Amino acid sequence: MAFYITDLCRTSLRQVIDGRLDITAADLQNMVTSIVRGLLALQKACRRPHGNLKPGNVLIAGAASLSQTGIFLCDPLPTEYVDPETHGTADLREVAEFIHQLVLHQPTPATKGWQVPESPEWNRLGKQAGFWRDLCNRLLNLEMQPNAFTLEGLAEELDHLPAPRKPAA
């Protein structure tokens, strides 16, 4: 039996999504970047995708702002059940689902080729709105261009994304 011990995380991404919080671009950037870094660390250390990425398996540490708090992944699919290609793509698509639900407070339609339309909810993200909507669309439609998008490429895009400006008080 394998287990691990970590800091107590009282919140998960499931609670943030269900709470329908109006998140900022800084919140979204920290959460998505942390999730992608966690997926990349797992890929590098174990040569496998997570395979069981869902909101309840993304833990949020501390009571700090979502733009500054620690984000951790838990409960990956057991290695014997992992198909690296299928589950790697599923992990990336789930990142898009997280983005969509955090911004629009609803799941994406299960329609191939569907594109997220512009809306006031995206505009709340300020100058980064276009980036996040475009990224969400690309990740949702990975099956349209197999192997065109990688976890490493996503991490690099996020690393080059400037930190959003804080709104004026």
Side-chain angles (χ1 to χ4, degrees):
M1 176 181 208
F3 65 92
Y4 61 90
I5 298 172
T6 186
D7 295 337
L8 176 63
C9 296
R10 297 184 187 275
T11 306
S12 72
L13 188 59
R14 171 84 279 145
Q15 292 162 298
V16 173
I17 289 170
D18 290 348
R20 301 174 62 88
L21 301 176
D22 288 336
I23 61 162
T24 66
D27 297 337
L28 188 61
Q29 186 169 348
N30 180 55
M31 288 188 285
V32 173
T33 300
S34 297
I35 291 166
V36 170
R37 284 183 182 152
L39 291 171
L40 201 52
L42 180 63
Q43 181 69 44
K44 286 180 179 178
C46 302
R47 302 190 201 310
R48 55 154 295 174
H50 189 280
N52 191 28
L53 195 60
K54 57 188 176 184
N57 289 345
V58 177
L59 304 179
I60 300 172
S65 162
L66 291 173
S67 66
Q68 299 172 0
T69 192
I71 309 287
F72 303 95
L73 305 180
C74 67
D75 299 328
L77 192 66
T79 302
E80 60 268 20
Y81 299 115
V82 171
D83 173 354
E85 187 174 322
T86 301
H87 291 110
T89 300
D91 285 352
L92 288 171
R93 189 179 189 303
E94 195 62 25
V95 171
E97 186 68 33
F98 295 164
I99 294 168
H100 189 273
Q101 288 192 35
L102 285 164
V103 174
L104 296 173
H105 309 297
Q106 60 186 349
T108 60
T111 306
K112 288 187 179 192
W114 180 78
Q115 295 286 303
V116 179
E118 288 186 40
S119 70
E121 293 88 355
W122 290 102
N123 293 336
R124 283 195 319 254
L125 300 175
K127 291 182 178 181
Q128 289 188 354
F131 169 83
W132 287 110
R133 194 172 62 80
D134 176 64
L135 178 62
C136 188
N137 279 323
R138 288 184 291 140
L139 291 172
L140 284 172
N141 292 293
L142 290 172
E143 69 276 354
M144 306 298 262
Q145 296 181 8
N147 303 318
F149 209 90
T150 65
L151 184 58
E152 293 82 1
L154 175 56
E156 189 172 318
E157 271 191 65
L158 292 168
D159 285 345
H160 288 96
L161 183 64
R165 289 189 172 156
K166 292 183 179 179

